[in-house]
Amino acid sequence: MTTKPAVLFVCLGNICRSPLAEAAFRKAADEADLNVEADSAGTAAYHVGAPPDPRSIATAAKNGVDIAHCQGRQIEHADFTRFTHIFAMDHSNLKNIRTVAPSDATAKITLLLDAVPGREGAEIADPYYDGEENFAYTWEDAWMAAQAIIRKLQTK
Ligand code: 4NP
């Protein structure tokens, strides 16, 4: 039996980038008719229980995904065995995820853009202090990564 892919997207606050990355991945999986589990979380607890940033909600809506119901949460120990893959948006997230990883972690932990040939090591820029137009770039990067992850999962 193969394990169903279960993918967690992680940023700092879980209100801007990771909800968009999760939305892009759900959309790409739907289009590919691939059965996956997806969620997102933050390394920080600043926005636990809060909805995504309005600029992320608007950007997802423009791309056909409703994320208004999502609620921020902080990454927890169970995530490291519940998910097969954990994708960090930037190097700081990656470092913080590795710091809190329990010793029995089984998830593969990488940067999100490592999935995109030619973008390995690159970060999903934090748009929190920018205008809504920057969230469109976040979506473009997340969408490219989502499609690349789906392609990899399909060849497994
Ligand atoms: P995110 O963006 O990590 O993409 O959700 C941020 C959200 C909140 C803060 C920083 C970045 N903050 O400082 O509250």
Side-chain angles (χ1 to χ4, degrees), residues 37-106:
E37 187 185 336
D39 198 6
S40 61
T43 58
Y46 312 140
H47 302 283
V48 170
D53 186 285
R55 297 163 294 179
S56 281
I57 294 176
T59 302
K62 269 185 205 155
N63 290 283
V65 189
D66 179 8
I67 62 167
H69 60 281
C70 292
Q71 284 197 334
R73 73 170 182 93
Q74 191 174 23
I75 192 168
E76 58 189 23
H77 276 182
D79 291 326
F80 290 88
T81 45
R82 175 179 155 209
F83 292 95
T84 54
H85 299 75
I86 297 177
F87 289 107
M89 301 300 119
D90 63 31
H91 287 282
S92 166
N93 306 149
L94 186 63
K95 186 168 167 241
N96 290 330
I97 293 165
R98 290 196 168 135
T99 301
V100 298
S103 56
D104 66 345
T106 48

Side-chain angles (χ1 to χ4, degrees), residues 10 14 16 18 20 25 43 65 76 90 92 96-97 107-108 118 127 130 141 146 149:
V10 180
N14 191 208
C16 295
S18 59
L20 281 180
F25 182 70
T43 58
V65 189
E76 58 189 23
D90 63 31
S92 166
N96 290 330
I97 293 165
K108 189 175 175 202
D130 300 323
D141 278 348
I149 296 165

Side-chain angles (χ1 to χ4, degrees), residues 11-18 46-47 126-129:
C11 60
L12 175 65
N14 191 208
I15 56 165
C16 295
R17 291 166 292 175
S18 59
Y46 312 140
H47 302 283
D126 184 355
Y128 185 62
Y129 298 101

